[in-house]
Amino acid sequence: VRNSFDLKELRQIGIVGVGLLGGSVGMAARASGFRGKLIGAGRRASSLARALEADAVDEVTTDPAEAATGSDLVVICTPISQFEPILRRVAEGLTPGTYVTDVASAKASVVRLAERILPPGTRFVGSHPMAGSEQTGVEFARADLFQRALCLLTPTRNTKPATLQWVQAFWESLGGRTLALPARRHDQLLAGVSHLPHLVATALVNLASRSRGIRLAGPGFADATRIASGDPGMWADIVSTNRQAILRSVDQLMAELARLRQRLEKDDTRRLHQWLDAGKQARDEWVRERYNKKVLPP
Amino acid sequence: VRNSFDLKELRQIGIVGVGLLGGSVGMAARASGFRGKLIGAGRRASSLARALEADAVDEVTTDPAEAATGSDLVVICTPISQFEPILRRVAEGLTPGTYVTDVASAKASVVRLAERILPPGTRFVGSHPMAGSEQTGVEFARADLFQRALCLLTPTRNTKPATLQWVQAFWESLGGRTLALPARRHDQLLAGVSHLPHLVATALVNLASRSRGIRLAGPGFADATRIASGDPGMWADIVSTNRQAILRSVDQLMAELARLRQRLEKDDTRRLHQWLDAGKQARDEWVRERYNKKVLPP
């Protein structure tokens, strides 16, 4: 294990949870020049067999400790509700100096847990690669999943700068762009741009389903609600983990809808037009920045 | 003008408003075997020039009456706020027996207006082809825009069954699937599956923009808010036209968010999971029906 990062020099990467994200980490590492061994850990033999078949990993085990033993880097890609027992098992297999990260969408509690459970000398920093889709399973894993994806890292005062840099370099070697910010700030901002949109998409689908209007829905509805087809268990985990920040976001949305309601009641087309225009301008500008330029720090 | 529909036998189609939808009507008709003349009407010489250049129409005029004169069918594809003066001009050019339809996303008031203004003997029925995107302009028009698109028709008690059948056959000749329902029912259901999702997408973008969290947004946000990049003027029109039904939909969403809020406060993960699961099931079933099967009547 070395401080200056070189993907080609790593001997072994342990991936705990070989689904869409974990499988893509293995495939992307291989495609980017990693020549060492990829060990995948999982609970079910069937998903491990599919991970092998998809060439996402070289070896599999049902014990996270085995995936940690001898690895330069361990990436935890399981649902948040499994983190505590998995971190305990990973801790059993770690040698001091091993880099550990994860891919969870809510960070404050996950990072707290990792810093409490992982042994001193572990080089841990939380990650949140913003990639993936509503699909689940290693069948949908792709070597290019992290290309141009924004990977958020959440160092704490316990994180050594060299650890942060090393894990940033890892995501960048897979094609990602990285940005570091505090875990609580991450959770607040993600509540607004990821967790709330997910819940709103679910609400729109459930309302449309009850009114039977869903049969008339078109391509706009399909895109607006795509995320509602995501894994309900994984999302219940994320939402429960980040529920304080999400509650604030729900309140902000309800206040915004109340203002919209007033404008509709008054048929204030001028202000409605301005509000729609502000949304279009903000989104178009975001698309330009997000997909053509480097992302600026928050 | 004949009662049994045959696209190849039509002599002339007038398209008033040659943007994304109007241009696509022209291109799709041509691609589907229409051999007659396509006349496009519009207000601006520049957009008419682009429509000619894109081969969406054969001739152009700034007078909707000219596009109506000698046409077997007139399709009105302008923003709703321009409907009244345009219907009056179209009425000037019509001969009895001409078929007239439109593509507006809100139908009750548009259909009322058309039935009041168009002369007796006009074969009018409102249409709403659910195609298009957040893009605007004839540059984005495509011959295959209506392939498999659901085209809703809103006959009234004044609509002759033969007129409905003829206009249905027209959309089907362009690749669409048709469904007839009353205009008020259309507007209520579309408020839930199109207009409300649009407003919610705008609200999410505006909130994320104010919190500066938008810089951390990923592909889920991009899809969930794509419709917010739509033309603000067109959408202000639609929303204002259908505001009573939209107000009911906003209230339903706020009630749903209030229930969600309670579950979050109690950290009722079990019911949250059930609710997310219901959304996923409903959406997945809709995708299967929408994209693999015929659409069932509402």
Side-chain angles (χ1 to χ4, degrees):
Chain A
V1 176
R2 51 192 61 216
N3 284 305
S4 93
F5 179 84
D6 185 350
L7 186 67
K8 293 182 177 63
E9 294 302 313
L10 301 188
R11 294 156 305 173
Q12 184 176 304
I13 299 175
I15 300 170
V16 184
V18 197
L20 169 61
L21 278 169
S24 296
V25 166
M27 291 176 182
R30 188 64 77 208
S32 304
F34 172 67
R35 295 177 293 207
K37 203 198 302 181
L38 288 162
I39 306 196
R43 288 192 299 182
R44 284 175 309 197
S46 61
S47 13
L48 291 175
R50 296 205 308 276
L52 280 174
E53 197 169 325
D55 271 333
V57 290
D58 304 312
E59 291 180 18
V60 294
T61 170
T62 53
D63 184 2
E66 261 188 61
T69 304
S71 284
D72 302 304
L73 167 68
V74 178
V75 189
I76 302 174
C77 307
T78 57
I80 296 173
S81 58
Q82 300 169 24
F83 260 64
E84 187 157 356
I86 278 173
L87 282 166
R88 294 198 191 285
R89 281 308 298 156
V90 165
E92 296 291 316
L94 287 177
T95 42
T98 305
Y99 292 91
V100 178
T101 192
D102 70 291
V103 302
S105 305
K107 303 261 44 114
S109 67
V110 162
V111 167
R112 224 165 20 236
L113 207 60
E115 294 198 335
R116 207 180 68 218
I117 294 174
L118 296 175
T122 306
R123 289 162 167 164
F124 171 82
V125 64
S127 302
H128 176 202
M130 298 190 59
S133 69
E134 77 283 12
Q135 297 159 329
T136 54
V138 74
E139 293 77 7
F140 296 103
R142 304 192 328 248
D144 66 352
L145 191 73
F146 306 106
Q147 286 298 330
R148 295 183 63 76
L150 183 58
C151 298
L152 305 173
L153 289 99
T154 58
T156 68
R157 55 188 174 177
N158 303 316
T159 311
K160 295 215 172 84
T163 300
L164 173 62
Q165 283 162 25
W166 195 96
V167 177
Q168 279 185 313
F170 170 71
W171 290 115
E172 286 164 8
S173 77
L174 307 192
R177 298 186 288 185
T178 59
L179 183 68
L181 76 170
R184 275 183 61 111
R185 177 99 176 116
H186 168 279
D187 288 1
Q188 272 165 20
L189 294 177
L190 267 286
V193 298
S194 171
H195 311 160
L196 178 66
H198 193 102
L199 295 169
V200 165
T202 301
L204 290 173
V205 170
N206 280 335
L207 289 173
S209 172
R210 267 178 246 152
S211 76
R212 303 175 66 72
I214 197 167
R215 297 172 188 217
L216 304 191
F221 183 85
D223 279 0
T225 63
R226 179 179 62 77
I227 46 183
S229 283
D231 182 54
M234 192 185 89
W235 278 93
D237 260 20
I238 295 169
V239 171
S240 170
T241 306
N242 198 28
R243 69 195 187 87
Q244 292 304 339
I246 294 171
L247 275 169
R248 281 192 294 276
S249 288
V250 169
D251 288 343
Q252 285 164 4
L253 177 62
M254 288 177 79
E256 187 79 358
L257 290 175
R259 281 189 291 271
L260 167 67
R261 208 192 177 295
Q262 280 194 320
R263 277 170 218 153
L264 283 172
E265 281 219 309
K266 291 190 212 156
D267 201 11
D268 188 346
T269 311
R270 192 180 62 83
R271 293 196 62 185
L272 189 67
H273 191 152
Q274 283 172 352
W275 182 78
L276 289 163
D277 199 50
K280 176 182 170 55
Q281 300 302 331
R283 186 176 182 282
D284 289 355
E285 188 188 323
W286 170 72
V287 169
R288 277 194 303 272
E289 292 212 352
R290 181 80 180 79
Y291 294 100
N292 300 328
K293 283 202 235 165
K294 274 192 93 79
V295 178
L296 305 169
Chain B
V1 176
R2 50 192 63 216
N3 284 306
S4 92
F5 179 84
D6 185 350
L7 187 66
K8 293 182 180 58
E9 296 301 315
L10 301 189
R11 294 155 304 172
Q12 184 175 305
I13 299 176
I15 301 171
V16 184
V18 198
L20 169 63
L21 279 168
S24 296
V25 166
M27 291 177 183
R30 186 66 75 210
S32 304
F34 172 67
R35 296 179 293 208
K37 202 197 304 182
L38 288 161
I39 305 195
R43 288 192 298 181
R44 282 175 309 198
S46 60
S47 15
L48 291 175
R50 295 205 309 274
L52 280 174
E53 196 170 326
D55 270 332
V57 289
D58 305 311
E59 292 181 16
V60 293
T61 169
T62 52
D63 183 3
E66 260 189 62
T69 304
S71 284
D72 301 304
L73 167 68
V74 178
V75 189
I76 301 173
C77 306
T78 57
I80 297 173
S81 58
Q82 301 169 22
F83 260 65
E84 188 157 354
I86 279 174
L87 282 166
R88 293 200 191 284
R89 281 308 300 156
V90 165
E92 296 293 314
L94 287 177
T95 41
T98 305
Y99 291 92
V100 178
T101 191
D102 71 291
V103 301
S105 304
K107 302 261 49 112
S109 66
V110 162
V111 167
R112 226 170 12 242
L113 208 59
E115 293 197 336
R116 205 181 68 217
I117 294 175
L118 296 175
T122 306
R123 291 160 166 167
F124 171 81
V125 64
S127 302
H128 176 202
M130 297 188 61
S133 69
E134 77 282 14
Q135 297 157 329
T136 53
V138 74
E139 292 78 7
F140 296 103
R142 304 193 326 251
D144 65 352
L145 191 74
F146 306 106
Q147 287 297 330
R148 295 182 63 75
L150 183 59
C151 297
L152 305 173
L153 290 100
T154 56
T156 68
R157 56 188 173 177
N158 304 317
T159 311
K160 295 217 172 82
T163 300
L164 174 62
Q165 283 161 26
W166 195 96
V167 177
Q168 279 186 313
F170 170 70
W171 290 115
E172 286 163 9
S173 76
L174 306 192
R177 300 186 288 186
T178 58
L179 183 68
L181 76 171
R184 274 184 61 110
R185 177 100 176 114
H186 169 280
D187 288 0
Q188 272 164 20
L189 294 177
L190 266 287
V193 299
S194 172
H195 310 160
L196 178 65
H198 193 101
L199 295 170
V200 165
T202 301
L204 290 173
V205 170
N206 280 335
L207 290 173
S209 172
R210 267 177 246 153
S211 75
R212 303 177 62 75
I214 196 166
R215 298 172 188 217
L216 304 190
F221 183 85
D223 279 0
T225 63
R226 178 179 63 76
I227 45 184
S229 284
D231 182 53
M234 192 185 88
W235 278 93
D237 259 21
I238 295 170
V239 171
S240 170
T241 306
N242 198 27
R243 68 194 188 88
Q244 292 304 338
I246 294 172
L247 274 170
R248 281 192 294 275
S249 288
V250 169
D251 288 343
Q252 285 164 4
L253 177 62
M254 287 178 82
E256 187 79 357
L257 289 175
R259 282 189 291 272
L260 166 67
R261 210 194 174 293
Q262 280 194 320
R263 277 170 218 152
L264 283 172
E265 281 219 310
K266 290 191 211 154
D267 201 10
D268 189 346
T269 311
R270 193 180 61 83
R271 293 196 62 187
L272 189 66
H273 191 152
Q274 284 172 352
W275 182 77
L276 288 163
D277 200 50
K280 177 183 168 55
Q281 301 302 330
R283 187 177 181 283
D284 289 355
E285 190 188 323
W286 170 70
V287 169
R288 278 193 303 273
E289 292 210 353
R290 181 81 179 77
Y291 295 98
N292 301 326
K293 282 202 236 165
K294 272 192 94 80
V295 178
L296 306 168

